[in-house]
Amino acid sequence: MSTNILPAVLSVKPKYDMFKEVSAMPFPKSDTYTTDYIYSLPEGQRAELIEGQVYMMAPPNRIHQDLVSQFTKIIGQYIDNNNGSCKIYPSPFAVFLNADNKTYVEPDISVICDRNKLDDRGCNGAPDWIIEIVSPNSQSMDYFIKLFKYRTAGVREYWIVNPMKQTVQVYSFDGEEISMQFSFDEVIKPGIYDNLEIRIADFLKDA
């Protein structure tokens, strides 16, 4: 495990040895878009919206979906077993990060503890804990664009899970902002829960 104060992490671009990075380029535009455009997309086509810029989303692969399923099960069981008030939602789940119509994201995992943020459309405001699972074409989005947006929007904890490098970058935005990197073999304890332990290698034993 390695630990850094967050501002230092934001100034250093990670290196990728196994896959070439594909930049998350915004959809060509003549003006800024709103969530009306997102809801006008054909069925099966997904996109996210950051400050009026549209970013198209590629279909996830099987390992990605295995991880989403396992995170949902483990965290959901922990919340239920401890009579917790938080709710967990896997993607696709609408998060209106700034509670406006210019920013719309679908995190792979969203944990929301303030139920006043929830309505029939999704979450209005920042979830407490977000997990994104990196794909070859989402690295710029997950490591940079979303990191900045989640940090400034009020997300308390953000995990970037990279199956290609088998690493997890954990950002804590509560109090002193800290970044820690773990391998899939290490046990990780979420900052928002005292006694939940997650070892991602266990998720992939039968994958």
Side-chain angles (χ1 to χ4, degrees), residues 38 75 79 106 108 123 129 142 160 175 188 194 196 203:
I38 299 295
I75 298 170
I79 293 171
E106 294 183 2
D108 290 316
C123 177
W129 180 14
D142 294 332
I160 305 175
I188 311 174
D194 292 333
L196 173 59
F203 294 178

Side-chain angles (χ1 to χ4, degrees), residues 110-150:
S110 300
V111 177
I112 298 118
C113 300
D114 181 357
R115 297 203 180 189
N116 291 324
K117 294 181 179 180
L118 298 173
D119 62 19
D120 289 342
R121 297 192 311 161
C123 177
N124 295 287
D128 293 82
W129 180 14
I130 285 177
I131 300 172
E132 296 284 10
I133 298 163
V134 179
S135 300
N137 64 345
S138 74
Q139 295 180 87
S140 292
M141 191 72 162
D142 294 332
Y143 280 104
F144 299 104
I145 297 170
K146 284 186 172 181
L147 171 58
F148 176 77
K149 286 303 298 181
Y150 291 163

Side-chain angles (χ1 to χ4, degrees), residues 60-69 133 163-164 184 204 207:
N61 63 27
R62 182 180 62 84
I63 294 298
H64 181 286
Q65 293 303 88
D66 282 342
L67 288 169
V68 168
S69 176
I133 298 163
M164 298 164 286
F184 275 19
L204 302 175

Side-chain angles (χ1 to χ4, degrees), residues 15-22 61 135-137 139 162-165:
K15 297 179 180 178
Y16 305 105
D17 299 324
M18 298 175 62
F19 288 83
K20 181 179 178 182
E21 181 179 359
V22 179
N61 63 27
S135 300
N137 64 345
Q139 295 180 87
N162 191 326
M164 298 164 286
K165 294 184 72 69

Side-chain angles (χ1 to χ4, degrees), residues 12-84:
V12 179
K13 184 173 181 177
K15 297 179 180 178
Y16 305 105
D17 299 324
M18 298 175 62
F19 288 83
K20 181 179 178 182
E21 181 179 359
V22 179
S23 298
M25 296 298 293
F27 191 75
K29 68 182 185 65
S30 59
D31 201 353
T32 56
Y33 290 90
T34 69
T35 51
D36 289 340
Y37 175 80
I38 299 295
Y39 283 102
S40 73
L41 291 172
E43 184 176 355
Q45 187 172 342
R46 296 170 57 202
E48 295 179 301
L49 189 69
I50 305 288
E51 300 294 343
Q53 300 274 332
V54 174
Y55 296 84
M56 305 309 294
M57 301 174 69
N61 63 27
R62 182 180 62 84
I63 294 298
H64 181 286
Q65 293 303 88
D66 282 342
L67 288 169
V68 168
S69 176
Q70 290 294 325
F71 273 117
T72 303
K73 181 174 70 173
I74 295 300
I75 298 170
Q77 286 177 345
Y78 175 85
I79 293 171
D80 290 343
N81 292 342
N82 289 274
N83 298 313

Side-chain angles (χ1 to χ4, degrees), residues 148-202:
F148 176 77
K149 286 303 298 181
Y150 291 163
R151 180 193 186 205
T152 56
V155 173
R156 294 168 58 194
E157 187 162 347
Y158 176 36
W159 289 20
I160 305 175
V161 178
N162 191 326
M164 298 164 286
K165 294 184 72 69
Q166 298 211 346
T167 60
V168 184
Q169 198 74 32
V170 174
Y171 294 95
S172 173
F173 303 128
D174 267 347
E176 184 180 24
E177 297 179 344
I178 299 293
S179 169
M180 296 169 286
Q181 183 171 284
F182 299 85
S183 74
F184 275 19
D185 290 319
E186 293 182 274
V187 173
I188 311 174
K189 295 184 177 182
I192 71 168
Y193 293 123
D194 292 333
N195 55 350
L196 173 59
E197 296 184 347
I198 293 175
R199 183 175 177 271
I200 296 175
D202 293 338

